[in-house]
Amino acid sequence: MKPEKEYDVVLIPGDGIGPEISEAAVAVLEATGVPIRWREALAGEAAWQRVGHPLPEETLASIHEAGVALKGPLLAPKQTGRVTIQHGDAEVIYPSVNNALRRELEVFANVRPVRSFPGVPSPFPAMDVVIIREVTEDTYIGWEEMKGPDEAWAIKRITRKASERIFRFAFEYARCRGRRRVTAGHKANVLNLTDGLFLQCGRGLAAEFPDVPFDDCMIDALCLQLVKHPEALDVLVLPNQYGDIVSDLCAGVAGSLGLAPGANYGERVAFFEASHGAAPDIVGQGVANPIALILSGAMLLGHLGEMEAERRIWQAVATVLQEARWLTPDLGGHARTADLTRAIITALGRAEGVAGSA
Ligand code: NAD
């Protein structure tokens, strides 16, 4: 019998290990019983090879229409990495395909929960941090210029509008998920104007959320704290570039890049992707860890309002990691992607109590 309601979700398998881990994530999402109609779309190297552009118009249109997508990692176009999108007569040039995707879809908040799991070796078993990264501006707008043969400049753009929007998002996120605290990361003692404005916006918004404790930390001191006492930190709000760097740092501290999921939220569109890249060094070996994309898929289900299915996936992953029988090599085991996926699907059938989610 046809289910009453099917969700339309765009699936971009992606490049490198993308197709391997996408297959795993789709299998796990389907095993929850939530009815999804997948619409496959191309981007990255795969799109470049098939249709001659890394971000085809049809892919953007499809995501705009469905409003939600699950995306594997993408490889940048080989020569420049830059991506040109045509808007009528005007050309917009983006520094990378991921940057183009985020900005064309007008997503502004990249959310990356990073937590340690029992069973995965980490010096910090109580780590549970959520990184909320602003993704529309900062140095990643890609405005760079040569000022002669031996001098290159990059523009760092911070606006009140984007900064207030990301802090509002972070405070609302922290409030509705019962998180302990919001911390802004910055370097306002050196970058008085740009990071200074970012921090000022954080302080301003904090006054509107008196029930959510707020503080701030210099980005270098924040990194030190992340590798010494990450359990003391909770929700971190960061401008684009610091957010990018700190995400990988946190994933490493928690045990593996292969465990860190991610979501990108805009007003109309949300898409979900692992924090890691296409891992070209292990492509085709069948040993990629699919968990980051599986948990990104769980976040997608939560976004669709399927909280119970989201919770069950987090619990199944936690159970399989704790049992430590089916761990991929990045987690210190010998299992293959397919073994780990199968174990998660089996655990999903048993998942009932709450193991915690982002
Ligand atoms: P990477 O994340 O692909 O790999 C870094 C290391 O982590 C590698 O040793 C890799 O084998 C390992 N790794 C990553 N994911 C893993 C997983 N799921 N399971 C097991 N091991 C895993 O970073 P990189 O090498 O700097 O980037 C490779 C390519 O990916 C580049 O072209 C980059 O532009 C692209 N990239 C894409 C995205 C994205 O699409 N969101 C993000 C980052 C990098």
Side-chain angles (χ1 to χ4, degrees), residues 242-301:
Y242 305 147
D244 187 16
I245 297 165
V246 168
S247 296
D248 275 30
L249 184 149
C250 286
V253 170
S256 169
L257 248 186
L259 296 177
N264 295 278
Y265 298 101
E267 302 296 346
R268 290 182 295 274
V269 164
F271 73 90
F272 299 80
E273 61 177 343
S275 293
H276 61 74
D281 52 332
I282 56 166
V283 70
Q285 296 176 19
V287 295
N289 181 349
I291 288 179
L293 195 63
I294 289 172
L295 293 177
S296 305
M299 293 172 81
L300 182 155
L301 293 181

Side-chain angles (χ1 to χ4, degrees), residues 195-209:
D195 282 17
L197 176 59
F198 184 77
L199 177 58
Q200 190 195 89
C201 292
R203 289 183 175 150
L205 261 291
E208 290 184 32
F209 294 83

Side-chain angles (χ1 to χ4, degrees), residues 112 155 193 213 255 279 298 340:
R112 289 173 166 174
I155 303 290
L193 302 184
L340 178 52

Side-chain angles (χ1 to χ4, degrees), residues 20 24 282 284-290 325-330 333-343:
E20 301 167 47
I282 56 166
Q285 296 176 19
V287 295
N289 181 349
R325 267 191 76 200
W326 302 108
L327 302 184
T328 42
D330 59 301
H334 302 284
R336 303 181 61 74
T337 311
D339 301 324
L340 178 52
T341 307
R342 214 173 301 117

Side-chain angles (χ1 to χ4, degrees), residues 22-271:
S22 298
E23 188 184 331
V26 166
V28 172
L29 263 62
E30 294 197 334
T32 64
V34 174
I36 294 177
R37 185 166 49 212
W38 298 99
R39 297 196 205 170
E40 206 163 311
L42 288 171
E45 178 74 14
W48 179 260
Q49 281 175 9
R50 291 267 291 278
V51 297
H53 194 284
L55 195 50
E57 248 176 56
E58 308 79 70
T59 296
L60 291 171
S62 190
I63 302 175
H64 275 299
E65 198 188 332
V68 60
L70 183 66
K71 167 193 165 288
L74 304 178
L75 286 169
K78 286 222 166 55
Q79 279 79 24
T80 61
R82 291 184 169 260
V83 172
T84 305
I85 304 277
Q86 202 72 37
H87 287 284
D89 290 340
E91 272 188 349
V92 186
I93 300 174
Y94 296 105
S96 75
V97 64
N98 283 307
N99 186 292
L101 188 64
R102 291 197 179 114
R103 284 163 62 193
E104 284 289 316
L105 294 175
E106 296 178 331
V107 297
F108 63 88
N110 179 211
V111 177
R112 289 173 166 174
V114 190
R115 50 170 288 199
S116 42
F117 288 91
V120 178
S122 158
F124 306 108
M127 179 172 183
D128 180 6
V129 164
V130 178
I131 295 160
I132 299 187
R133 166 185 168 201
E134 205 290 327
V135 288
T136 66
E137 51 184 32
D138 197 359
T139 46
Y140 288 9
I141 53 174
W143 289 353
E144 292 188 292
E145 198 182 328
M146 292 306 294
K147 293 282 184 186
D150 302 318
E151 187 175 340
W153 287 18
I155 303 290
K156 177 167 168 120
R157 179 174 195 249
I158 299 287
T159 65
R160 184 177 301 282
K161 186 174 170 213
S163 302
E164 287 184 348
R165 183 172 58 178
I166 197 71
F167 277 108
R168 183 173 299 286
F169 179 94
F171 280 111
E172 283 170 356
Y173 180 97
R175 178 185 275 171
C176 87
R177 302 208 173 219
R179 303 291 307 203
R180 286 178 288 127
R181 185 156 51 104
V182 169
T183 302
H186 61 88
K187 192 72 183 173
N189 60 332
V190 177
L191 298 168
N192 303 159
L193 302 184
T194 48
D195 282 17
L197 176 59
F198 184 77
L199 177 58
Q200 190 195 89
C201 292
R203 289 183 175 150
L205 261 291
E208 290 184 32
F209 294 83
D211 53 316
V212 183
F214 172 75
D215 61 4
D216 68 276
C217 192
M218 298 292 173
I219 192 66
D220 40 357
L222 187 66
C223 288
L224 180 68
Q225 201 171 354
L226 279 166
V227 297
K228 291 203 99 165
H229 301 291
E231 65 287 346
L233 294 162
D234 194 24
V235 175
L236 308 179
V237 189
L238 300 166
N240 208 345
Q241 188 174 21
Y242 305 147
D244 187 16
I245 297 165
V246 168
S247 296
D248 275 30
L249 184 149
C250 286
V253 170
S256 169
L257 248 186
L259 296 177
N264 295 278
Y265 298 101
E267 302 296 346
R268 290 182 295 274
V269 164
F271 73 90

